[in-house]
Amino acid sequence: MKHLFSNVRGDLFGGITAGIVALPLALAFGVSSGLGPSAGLYGAIFISFFAALFGGTSTQISGPTAPMTAVSMVVIAGIVAIHDGSIEKALPAILIIFFLAGLMQIGLGLMGIGKYIRYIPYPVVSGFMTAIGVIILVTQILPAVGYYPKEDTDYVEKFKPKAEEIILDNILKEEAGEGILVLEDFEETIKRAKNITPEETLKEARTLAKKESSGVIGTLKILPRALQNINWLELILALSTIIIIYGFKKITTVIPSTLVALIVVSGVAYGFGLDYRPIEEIPSGLPIPHLDIFTQFELSSISPYIFTALTLALLGAIDSLLTSVVADNMTKTKHKPNKELVGQGIGNSIAAIFGGIPGAGATIRTVVNINAGGKTKLSGMVAGIMLLLIMLSLAPVASQIPAAVLAGILVTVGIGVMDYKGLKAIPSLPKDVNLGPIKLSSEVIIMLVVLVLSSVWNLVYAVGIGLVFASLMFMKKMGDLTAERSNIQSLEEEKAWADEKDFPKNLREEVFIKHLKGPLFFGTTSDFQVLADQIPDTASTVIIRMDRMQYMDQSGLYALEDVLIDLRKSNINVLLVDVLPQPKYMMERVDIIPDLIPKEHIFPSFESCLDWIKTNVKDKD
C-alpha cells in the first residue's frame, strides 16, 4: 500500500491524462462493436481500474483496444443475428461470453501461461494486426459517408420476401415445439401467419439488410450503393476529424489530438445546429450490473462461442503482455506476466457484468501515462475513476457527439494499428518454399494467409490456421536441418569421429557405422528408414552411435523398431553405442531392449564396442 501512494502527484496527472486520451477511443470502440458507446465506456472504466489494481505491470493503462473490439464485433454480430436482430435479447449471451473470456484469462495466469505467450510466431501476430487495421478501416467507410443500409428503403425492400420466409419458419418451429403442428390445429398456424404485420416484416428485413452489409465483404458489396448515397455533411465531419487528428500532432503532442478533434468537430456541429446523426444516448448515473447473464444462462446459446471466448482471452493476453514489454523498456522495470493476466481477467469479468466490451493493455494510453508521470498502479486506477466521473457528469453532452466523428477517429486507429514493419520486410525475407517454379517466403505466406482470412472470413479461425501453418513449417525446417546434420553414409564416405581413427581396416567392409546426430523425431524418420538400403552387402554388423542423439519421439521410436526388425531378418547384428537416458527409456518401454537388441549388444563407449568387434567379427576376405 505504501508503494501504491509513493508517487501520488505523478500518478494523478498520468491517470487523468490517460483517461482523457481513452475517452474518445472508448466511445468509438463501443460504437464499432455494435453494443453502443456506453459499452465502450463501461469497458474502459472497469478494465482500467481492476486490471491496474490486480495486474502485474505498474504503469499499464487498460481498456478496449482495436484487436479486442474486432473480435468482439464478430461475437456480437453472430449472437444478435441468432436473436432476430435484437440486441436486448442477445445481450445476456454476449456478456456471458465476455465474462467467460475474463475467467479464462484468470485461469491462464494461474496456470502460468504468461511466459509462453512470447512463442506465438511474429508472422501470425503481424498478419492479424494488419487485418485488424483493414477490418476497422473498411467497416468505418459506411458511417463515415453517412450511409446506413437498414435505413435505405429501396435496399431493405429487397429483403422483405426473405424476411417473411424467416418469420413463417419461426412460427412453424414454435408450433412444432409446442406439439400443436397437427392437421386439426393447423388453422391456428395459418391464423398466426395471416396476422404478421408489415412492421414485423420491415424489422426482420432491416436486420437482414444490416447483416448482409456487415463486415469487410458486406461493406465492399454495398460500397457502390453507399457512394451513390453519400451524406456530404457526415463525410465532411469525418474528414475534418481525420485532418485535425493528424494535423494537430504536428503542432503539439502534449494535448491528445484525438480529444481535440472530438471536441472541435462536435462543438462546431452542435453549435451551428447542423443536421448530423448523433451517437446512441449514453445513460447517465452509475452503471448497473447485468445479473440476468447468470439467471438467464443457457449453455446451448454460448457453446458455439466457447472457442471464441478462449481466443478473446488469448488475444487479450498477447495484447496486454506486448504493452507490458513496452512499459518495461520505458520504465526500466520488469512486469509479472502471470499476475498481469489475472488482473486483466478480473477487469474483463467485472466489465462484462456491467455491460462493458472486453479490453486489454493499451500501448498508446500506457505510453501517455508514463510520459505524464505515472509510476504505480494508482495511475491506472485514476484513469478508470476519471472516465467514470466524465460519464456521470457529461453523459448528456457526450450523447450529442456526431457518429461520423467517431468513424473518423476509428479510421485513424485502423491506419495506426497495421504492422508496417512486417509489411516492409516482405521483399527481404528469405524465400525458403518452392511452389512449382516460384520461390516464396514461408513467413510471408503465413502473414498473408492470416491477413486475408482474418479480413474476409473469420478472425478466430484465421489465427488458428496461421498457428498450424507456422508450426508445420517450423517442424519441416527443423526436420530438414536435423536430417542435413544426420546424413546416412558409410564409414568410408563419412568423416570418422576421433575415436574411430584406429578402426581395423580389414573389417571396414564387414562393419557399417551409423552416426546419429540430433533428435530422431517425426521430421527425420523418413531419412532414417532408408538406413537398411545404405548398408553394403558385405556388412554383417551395424554399429549405431547414439551419444549425440538426445531425444526420440514416438515416431522415431517406431521407425527405429522397423529398421531393427528388417536388419534382424537379414541376419545383421546391431550394436548400440552410448545410448542416452531418454532414448533408452523409450526403447525399453516397447521392448526393443532386450527383445531386438540384447543388453550385451549395448556398449557405454565406442572403445568397448570395438573390443567386441575385434573378438566377434571375422574378416571374410
Side-chain angles (χ1 to χ4, degrees):
M1 191 60 74
K2 185 181 177 184
H3 177 66
L4 187 65
F5 296 104
S6 60
N7 181 47
V8 174
R9 186 178 174 185
D11 289 336
L12 282 173
F13 193 62
I16 290 167
T17 311
I20 291 168
V21 171
L23 175 65
L25 293 170
L27 293 170
F29 286 136
V31 171
S32 175
S33 74
L35 286 187
S38 55
L41 266 179
Y42 296 158
I45 290 165
F46 291 104
I47 298 167
S48 182
F49 185 88
F50 288 103
L53 178 61
F54 296 105
T57 314
S58 299
T59 52
Q60 181 113 293
I61 304 291
S62 302
T65 62
M68 294 295 277
T69 304
V71 177
S72 301
M73 279 166 58
V74 176
V75 178
I76 293 162
I79 296 177
V80 168
I82 293 168
H83 290 82
D84 304 322
S86 169
I87 286 181
E88 290 75 22
K89 289 181 191 172
L91 194 60
I94 291 167
L95 295 181
I96 197 71
I97 288 163
F98 294 163
F99 180 75
L100 271 178
L103 291 184
M104 286 177 181
Q105 277 188 319
I106 295 170
L108 292 173
L110 294 175
M111 288 188 293
I113 302 294
K115 57 180 178 288
Y116 297 110
I117 297 293
R118 65 179 182 271
Y119 293 116
I120 291 179
Y122 181 80
V124 175
V125 176
S126 175
F128 181 79
M129 293 308 289
T130 303
I132 296 296
V134 170
I135 291 167
I136 290 173
L137 268 176
V138 174
T139 54
Q140 291 310 304
I141 293 173
L142 300 186
V145 300
Y147 178 75
Y148 293 85
K150 66 176 186 176
E151 293 171 15
D152 182 343
T153 310
D154 292 339
Y155 182 65
V156 171
E157 193 70 29
K158 294 191 296 185
F159 292 94
K160 282 189 175 178
K162 178 71 175 172
E164 287 175 356
E165 190 183 311
I166 289 170
I167 294 168
L168 283 170
D169 189 44
N170 288 340
I171 289 172
L172 287 169
K173 281 178 183 172
E174 282 174 30
E175 302 281 272
E178 291 168 14
I180 58 172
L181 194 60
V182 289
L183 198 58
E184 53 265 31
D185 294 318
F186 208 63
E187 287 178 11
E188 180 63 27
T189 308
I190 295 167
K191 188 179 174 183
R192 281 186 66 184
K194 283 180 179 176
N195 289 336
I196 297 169
T197 63
E199 288 76 22
E200 285 177 293
T201 307
L202 181 63
K203 184 183 175 185
E204 185 63 42
R206 282 178 171 168
T207 301
L208 289 170
K210 185 179 178 183
K211 186 181 176 184
E212 182 68 19
S213 58
S214 64
V216 172
I217 297 292
T219 302
L220 294 176
K221 276 184 189 173
I222 204 169
L223 191 57
R225 189 174 184 89
L227 296 176
Q228 289 168 2
N229 294 277
I230 292 175
N231 182 319
W232 292 102
L233 172 61
E234 300 286 318
L235 180 58
I236 289 165
L237 292 174
L239 289 175
S240 303
T241 304
I242 294 166
I243 290 164
I244 291 172
I245 286 172
Y246 286 123
F248 196 79
K249 282 179 183 174
K250 295 180 179 177
I251 300 169
T252 178
T253 53
V254 175
I255 304 169
S257 61
T258 307
L259 186 70
V260 173
L262 180 75
I263 292 170
V264 170
V265 181
S266 301
V268 169
Y270 183 75
F272 284 89
L274 301 179
D275 184 24
Y276 65 86
R277 182 192 185 94
I279 61 173
E280 290 175 34
E281 188 177 345
I282 299 169
S284 51
L286 290 167
I288 300 164
H290 290 258
L291 298 178
D292 53 347
I293 68 173
F294 303 114
T295 57
Q296 296 179 24
F297 175 75
E298 286 181 19
L299 187 62
S300 59
S301 64
I302 65 155
S303 53
Y305 294 92
I306 297 292
F307 183 60
T308 310
L310 179 60
T311 305
L312 271 170
L314 288 169
L315 179 59
I318 297 163
D319 214 358
S320 301
L321 295 180
L322 287 174
T323 302
S324 297
V325 171
V326 172
D328 284 353
N329 291 336
M330 289 183 71
T331 58
K332 307 301 177 206
T333 55
K334 189 161 178 61
H335 73 281
K336 296 172 182 171
N338 295 316
K339 190 177 179 187
E340 182 61 36
L341 292 190
V342 171
Q344 292 291 336
I346 292 170
N348 276 314
S349 299
I350 295 172
I353 292 170
F354 284 91
I357 60 173
T363 307
I364 294 170
R365 281 159 265 177
T366 300
V367 169
V368 164
N369 176 40
I370 294 166
N371 288 338
K375 285 184 181 175
T376 77
K377 294 181 174 197
L378 185 63
S379 57
M381 294 159 71
V382 166
I385 294 166
M386 178 72 188
L387 285 166
L388 179 63
L389 293 174
I390 291 171
M391 191 191 74
L392 292 175
S393 56
L394 298 175
V397 177
S399 297
Q400 299 304 315
I401 294 169
V405 169
L406 295 189
I409 290 170
L410 283 169
V411 166
T412 64
V413 170
I415 293 167
V417 83
M418 290 188 192
D419 181 37
Y420 297 102
K421 184 179 175 183
L423 292 171
K424 283 178 188 172
I426 287 175
S428 56
L429 289 169
K431 294 175 173 60
D432 53 354
V433 174
N434 293 326
L435 203 66
I438 306 167
K439 278 199 160 190
L440 299 168
S441 163
S442 59
E443 305 218 332
V444 172
I445 292 170
I446 294 163
M447 188 193 304
L448 293 178
V449 164
V450 174
L451 168 56
V452 173
L453 292 182
S454 296
S455 302
V456 302
W457 183 43
N458 186 299
L459 280 163
V460 178
Y461 297 153
V463 171
I465 289 168
L467 286 172
V468 170
F469 265 39
S471 303
L472 289 173
M473 287 185 177
F474 171 76
M475 289 186 288
K476 184 183 181 303
K477 283 179 189 173
M478 290 302 100
D480 291 346
L481 287 171
T482 309
E484 269 178 41
R485 293 182 56 196
S486 185
N487 286 329
I488 299 162
Q489 297 170 326
S490 65
L491 186 61
E492 287 83 7
E493 294 167 336
E494 187 175 348
K495 189 178 177 183
W497 289 357
D499 55 0
E500 296 168 6
K501 298 288 186 187
D502 299 327
F503 192 87
K505 288 184 181 179
N506 64 317
L507 295 178
R508 291 197 174 199
E509 289 187 359
E510 279 73 32
V511 178
F512 176 86
I513 300 178
K514 171 62 194 148
H515 299 135
L516 288 182
K517 295 175 280 187
L520 181 61
F521 69 118
F522 59 88
T524 58
T525 52
S526 58
D527 287 331
F528 181 76
Q529 281 165 334
V530 300
L531 172 62
D533 299 330
Q534 303 287 320
I535 299 169
D537 294 338
T538 55
S540 61
T541 303
V542 171
I543 299 172
I544 301 178
R545 300 205 59 178
M546 304 181 75
D547 41 330
R548 297 187 191 179
M549 191 191 81
Q550 312 90 338
Y551 174 78
M552 176 193 293
D553 73 356
Q554 199 168 7
S555 301
L557 178 70
Y558 294 138
L560 176 65
E561 184 179 39
D562 290 343
V563 167
L564 293 176
I565 289 168
D566 289 343
L567 293 175
R568 188 171 186 175
K569 284 177 184 174
S570 303
N571 295 316
I572 292 174
N573 277 324
V574 178
L575 311 176
L576 304 183
V577 177
D578 198 4
V579 186
L580 297 176
Q582 194 271 347
K584 188 174 183 181
Y585 173 83
M586 292 288 282
M587 286 189 279
E588 286 173 343
R589 291 307 93 191
V590 296
D591 294 326
I592 288 176
I593 301 173
D595 290 359
L596 290 174
I597 308 288
K599 291 191 176 178
E600 56 269 23
H601 283 184
I602 300 172
F603 301 93
S605 67
F606 185 72
E607 189 180 346
S608 57
C609 178
L610 193 54
D611 291 340
W612 190 94
I613 292 283
K614 288 175 181 176
T615 306
N616 294 281
V617 179
K618 305 299 179 189
D619 184 0
K620 292 177 184 175
D621 292 340

mmCIF file of all heavy atoms in Angstrom, residues 420-446:
data_model
loop_
_atom_site.group_PDB
_atom_site.id
_atom_site.type_symbol
_atom_site.label_atom_id
_atom_site.label_comp_id
_atom_site.label_asym_id
_atom_site.label_seq_id
_atom_site.Cartn_x
_atom_site.Cartn_y
_atom_site.Cartn_z
ATOM 1 N N TYR A 420 3.299 -2.054 -40.109
ATOM 2 C CA TYR A 420 4.069 -1.611 -41.282
ATOM 3 C C TYR A 420 5.477 -2.209 -41.295
ATOM 4 O O TYR A 420 6.043 -2.445 -42.353
ATOM 5 C CB TYR A 420 4.132 -0.080 -41.309
ATOM 6 C CG TYR A 420 2.767 0.540 -41.450
ATOM 7 C CD1 TYR A 420 2.101 1.097 -40.358
ATOM 8 C CD2 TYR A 420 2.100 0.523 -42.676
ATOM 9 C CE1 TYR A 420 0.830 1.639 -40.481
ATOM 10 C CE2 TYR A 420 0.817 1.070 -42.812
ATOM 11 C CZ TYR A 420 0.195 1.620 -41.716
ATOM 12 O OH TYR A 420 -1.066 2.131 -41.853
ATOM 13 N N LYS A 421 6.004 -2.471 -40.110
ATOM 14 C CA LYS A 421 7.334 -3.099 -40.023
ATOM 15 C C LYS A 421 7.319 -4.462 -40.722
ATOM 16 O O LYS A 421 8.222 -4.789 -41.504
ATOM 17 C CB LYS A 421 7.710 -3.256 -38.535
ATOM 18 C CG LYS A 421 9.107 -3.802 -38.299
ATOM 19 C CD LYS A 421 9.360 -3.896 -36.799
ATOM 20 C CE LYS A 421 10.696 -4.552 -36.504
ATOM 21 N NZ LYS A 421 10.913 -4.721 -35.061
ATOM 22 N N GLY A 422 6.287 -5.266 -40.441
ATOM 23 C CA GLY A 422 6.157 -6.585 -41.068
ATOM 24 C C GLY A 422 5.915 -6.478 -42.559
ATOM 25 O O GLY A 422 6.464 -7.256 -43.348
ATOM 26 N N LEU A 423 5.086 -5.504 -42.987
ATOM 27 C CA LEU A 423 4.781 -5.337 -44.414
ATOM 28 C C LEU A 423 6.019 -4.905 -45.195
ATOM 29 O O LEU A 423 6.265 -5.379 -46.306
ATOM 30 C CB LEU A 423 3.656 -4.312 -44.595
ATOM 31 C CG LEU A 423 2.263 -4.736 -44.089
ATOM 32 C CD1 LEU A 423 1.295 -3.569 -44.133
ATOM 33 C CD2 LEU A 423 1.718 -5.897 -44.906
ATOM 34 N N LYS A 424 6.820 -4.005 -44.597
ATOM 35 C CA LYS A 424 8.042 -3.528 -45.277
ATOM 36 C C LYS A 424 9.056 -4.647 -45.456
ATOM 37 O O LYS A 424 9.863 -4.637 -46.385
ATOM 38 C CB LYS A 424 8.683 -2.388 -44.463
ATOM 39 C CG LYS A 424 7.980 -1.056 -44.624
ATOM 40 C CD LYS A 424 8.654 -0.006 -43.739
ATOM 41 C CE LYS A 424 7.860 1.288 -43.709
ATOM 42 N NZ LYS A 424 8.408 2.240 -42.716
ATOM 43 N N ALA A 425 9.038 -5.624 -44.539
ATOM 44 C CA ALA A 425 10.033 -6.703 -44.575
ATOM 45 C C ALA A 425 9.729 -7.762 -45.633
ATOM 46 O O ALA A 425 10.578 -8.612 -45.925
ATOM 47 C CB ALA A 425 10.132 -7.358 -43.198
ATOM 48 N N ILE A 426 8.526 -7.735 -46.227
ATOM 49 C CA ILE A 426 8.106 -8.795 -47.167
ATOM 50 C C ILE A 426 9.126 -9.044 -48.283
ATOM 51 O O ILE A 426 9.502 -10.187 -48.526
ATOM 52 C CB ILE A 426 6.689 -8.497 -47.731
ATOM 53 C CG1 ILE A 426 5.634 -8.754 -46.648
ATOM 54 C CG2 ILE A 426 6.385 -9.351 -48.967
ATOM 55 C CD1 ILE A 426 4.217 -8.385 -47.045
ATOM 56 N N PRO A 427 9.620 -8.007 -48.982
ATOM 57 C CA PRO A 427 10.549 -8.288 -50.101
ATOM 58 C C PRO A 427 11.890 -8.875 -49.663
ATOM 59 O O PRO A 427 12.550 -9.573 -50.452
ATOM 60 C CB PRO A 427 10.757 -6.903 -50.745
ATOM 61 C CG PRO A 427 9.691 -6.031 -50.198
ATOM 62 C CD PRO A 427 9.356 -6.572 -48.852
ATOM 63 N N SER A 428 12.298 -8.600 -48.416
ATOM 64 C CA SER A 428 13.646 -9.002 -47.993
ATOM 65 C C SER A 428 13.701 -10.332 -47.242
ATOM 66 O O SER A 428 14.788 -10.847 -46.963
ATOM 67 C CB SER A 428 14.253 -7.901 -47.109
ATOM 68 O OG SER A 428 13.403 -7.633 -46.014
ATOM 69 N N LEU A 429 12.544 -10.921 -46.917
ATOM 70 C CA LEU A 429 12.557 -12.189 -46.166
ATOM 71 C C LEU A 429 13.033 -13.333 -47.067
ATOM 72 O O LEU A 429 12.719 -13.358 -48.257
ATOM 73 C CB LEU A 429 11.167 -12.500 -45.619
ATOM 74 C CG LEU A 429 10.699 -11.603 -44.464
ATOM 75 C CD1 LEU A 429 9.223 -11.821 -44.173
ATOM 76 C CD2 LEU A 429 11.518 -11.839 -43.209
ATOM 77 N N PRO A 430 13.824 -14.280 -46.518
ATOM 78 C CA PRO A 430 14.372 -15.374 -47.338
ATOM 79 C C PRO A 430 13.294 -16.244 -47.958
ATOM 80 O O PRO A 430 12.331 -16.622 -47.292
ATOM 81 C CB PRO A 430 15.221 -16.172 -46.335
ATOM 82 C CG PRO A 430 14.710 -15.794 -44.986
ATOM 83 C CD PRO A 430 14.218 -14.393 -45.105
ATOM 84 N N LYS A 431 13.446 -16.558 -49.261
ATOM 85 C CA LYS A 431 12.475 -17.396 -49.984
ATOM 86 C C LYS A 431 12.863 -18.855 -49.801
ATOM 87 O O LYS A 431 13.765 -19.361 -50.450
ATOM 88 C CB LYS A 431 12.448 -16.999 -51.459
ATOM 89 C CG LYS A 431 11.914 -15.578 -51.683
ATOM 90 C CD LYS A 431 12.005 -15.172 -53.145
ATOM 91 C CE LYS A 431 11.323 -13.826 -53.376
ATOM 92 N NZ LYS A 431 11.882 -12.722 -52.605
ATOM 93 N N ASP A 432 12.173 -19.521 -48.872
ATOM 94 C CA ASP A 432 12.563 -20.876 -48.478
ATOM 95 C C ASP A 432 11.533 -21.942 -48.862
ATOM 96 O O ASP A 432 11.624 -23.082 -48.440
ATOM 97 C CB ASP A 432 12.807 -20.923 -46.959
ATOM 98 C CG ASP A 432 11.619 -20.384 -46.173
ATOM 99 O OD1 ASP A 432 10.669 -19.877 -46.803
ATOM 100 O OD2 ASP A 432 11.640 -20.455 -44.934
ATOM 101 N N VAL A 433 10.510 -21.562 -49.663
ATOM 102 C CA VAL A 433 9.481 -22.522 -50.074
ATOM 103 C C VAL A 433 9.361 -22.506 -51.595
ATOM 104 O O VAL A 433 9.267 -21.428 -52.194
ATOM 105 C CB VAL A 433 8.111 -22.165 -49.441
ATOM 106 C CG1 VAL A 433 7.018 -23.069 -49.986
ATOM 107 C CG2 VAL A 433 8.172 -22.293 -47.924
ATOM 108 N N ASN A 434 9.374 -23.696 -52.212
ATOM 109 C CA ASN A 434 9.210 -23.798 -53.659
ATOM 110 C C ASN A 434 7.765 -24.159 -53.987
ATOM 111 O O ASN A 434 7.276 -25.208 -53.590
ATOM 112 C CB ASN A 434 10.143 -24.861 -54.247
ATOM 113 C CG ASN A 434 11.605 -24.434 -54.123
ATOM 114 O OD1 ASN A 434 11.917 -23.259 -54.221
ATOM 115 N ND2 ASN A 434 12.477 -25.393 -53.915
ATOM 116 N N LEU A 435 7.091 -23.273 -54.708
ATOM 117 C CA LEU A 435 5.730 -23.535 -55.158
ATOM 118 C C LEU A 435 5.785 -23.674 -56.680
ATOM 119 O O LEU A 435 5.598 -22.725 -57.420
ATOM 120 C CB LEU A 435 4.810 -22.382 -54.748
ATOM 121 C CG LEU A 435 3.321 -22.701 -54.635
ATOM 122 C CD1 LEU A 435 3.049 -23.676 -53.505
ATOM 123 C CD2 LEU A 435 2.517 -21.428 -54.412
ATOM 124 N N GLY A 436 6.119 -24.905 -57.107
ATOM 125 C CA GLY A 436 6.394 -25.117 -58.537
ATOM 126 C C GLY A 436 7.666 -24.364 -58.902
ATOM 127 O O GLY A 436 8.677 -24.482 -58.222
ATOM 128 N N PRO A 437 7.611 -23.544 -59.941
ATOM 129 C CA PRO A 437 8.809 -22.783 -60.320
ATOM 130 C C PRO A 437 9.007 -21.510 -59.488
ATOM 131 O O PRO A 437 10.028 -20.861 -59.564
ATOM 132 C CB PRO A 437 8.525 -22.415 -61.790
ATOM 133 C CG PRO A 437 7.027 -22.376 -61.880
ATOM 134 C CD PRO A 437 6.507 -23.371 -60.883
ATOM 135 N N ILE A 438 7.986 -21.173 -58.665
ATOM 136 C CA ILE A 438 8.040 -19.917 -57.901
ATOM 137 C C ILE A 438 8.622 -20.173 -56.512
ATOM 138 O O ILE A 438 8.246 -21.123 -55.833
ATOM 139 C CB ILE A 438 6.623 -19.301 -57.759
ATOM 140 C CG1 ILE A 438 5.978 -19.130 -59.134
ATOM 141 C CG2 ILE A 438 6.689 -17.961 -57.048
ATOM 142 C CD1 ILE A 438 4.489 -18.835 -59.073
ATOM 143 N N LYS A 439 9.532 -19.278 -56.102
ATOM 144 C CA LYS A 439 10.103 -19.352 -54.741
ATOM 145 C C LYS A 439 9.444 -18.299 -53.870
ATOM 146 O O LYS A 439 9.346 -17.138 -54.254
ATOM 147 C CB LYS A 439 11.619 -19.122 -54.795
ATOM 148 C CG LYS A 439 12.408 -20.362 -55.168
ATOM 149 C CD LYS A 439 13.862 -20.193 -54.754
ATOM 150 C CE LYS A 439 14.557 -21.552 -54.654
ATOM 151 N NZ LYS A 439 15.880 -21.439 -54.029
ATOM 152 N N LEU A 440 8.985 -18.736 -52.702
ATOM 153 C CA LEU A 440 8.299 -17.825 -51.789
ATOM 154 C C LEU A 440 8.874 -17.949 -50.382
ATOM 155 O O LEU A 440 9.527 -18.932 -50.054
ATOM 156 C CB LEU A 440 6.802 -18.138 -51.754
ATOM 157 C CG LEU A 440 6.024 -17.996 -53.073
ATOM 158 C CD1 LEU A 440 4.656 -18.609 -52.934
ATOM 159 C CD2 LEU A 440 5.911 -16.540 -53.479
ATOM 160 N N SER A 441 8.586 -16.939 -49.564
ATOM 161 C CA SER A 441 8.998 -16.982 -48.153
ATOM 162 C C SER A 441 7.874 -17.592 -47.323
ATOM 163 O O SER A 441 6.715 -17.164 -47.426
ATOM 164 C CB SER A 441 9.308 -15.572 -47.654
ATOM 165 O OG SER A 441 9.333 -15.542 -46.247
ATOM 166 N N SER A 442 8.203 -18.590 -46.509
ATOM 167 C CA SER A 442 7.185 -19.229 -45.660
ATOM 168 C C SER A 442 6.576 -18.213 -44.687
ATOM 169 O O SER A 442 5.381 -18.251 -44.397
ATOM 170 C CB SER A 442 7.795 -20.397 -44.888
ATOM 171 O OG SER A 442 8.863 -19.951 -44.083
ATOM 172 N N GLU A 443 7.379 -17.288 -44.191
ATOM 173 C CA GLU A 443 6.890 -16.290 -43.234
ATOM 174 C C GLU A 443 5.902 -15.331 -43.898
ATOM 175 O O GLU A 443 4.903 -14.938 -43.301
ATOM 176 C CB GLU A 443 8.061 -15.524 -42.628
ATOM 177 C CG GLU A 443 9.088 -16.444 -41.984
ATOM 178 C CD GLU A 443 9.669 -15.898 -40.708
ATOM 179 O OE1 GLU A 443 9.719 -14.673 -40.570
ATOM 180 O OE2 GLU A 443 10.069 -16.710 -39.842
ATOM 181 N N VAL A 444 6.194 -14.966 -45.161
ATOM 182 C CA VAL A 444 5.276 -14.094 -45.901
ATOM 183 C C VAL A 444 3.965 -14.826 -46.176
ATOM 184 O O VAL A 444 2.882 -14.241 -46.057
ATOM 185 C CB VAL A 444 5.921 -13.622 -47.228
ATOM 186 C CG1 VAL A 444 4.905 -12.875 -48.089
ATOM 187 C CG2 VAL A 444 7.116 -12.724 -46.943
ATOM 188 N N ILE A 445 4.052 -16.114 -46.525
ATOM 189 C CA ILE A 445 2.837 -16.916 -46.784
ATOM 190 C C ILE A 445 1.944 -16.919 -45.539
ATOM 191 O O ILE A 445 0.745 -16.685 -45.615
ATOM 192 C CB ILE A 445 3.200 -18.363 -47.191
ATOM 193 C CG1 ILE A 445 3.873 -18.384 -48.565
ATOM 194 C CG2 ILE A 445 1.952 -19.250 -47.218
ATOM 195 C CD1 ILE A 445 4.476 -19.733 -48.940
ATOM 196 N N ILE A 446 2.554 -17.190 -44.372
ATOM 197 C CA ILE A 446 1.791 -17.236 -43.110
ATOM 198 C C ILE A 446 1.130 -15.878 -42.852
ATOM 199 O O ILE A 446 -0.059 -15.799 -42.530
ATOM 200 C CB ILE A 446 2.702 -17.631 -41.929
ATOM 201 C CG1 ILE A 446 3.195 -19.072 -42.101
ATOM 202 C CG2 ILE A 446 1.963 -17.483 -40.602
ATOM 203 C CD1 ILE A 446 4.397 -19.411 -41.238
#
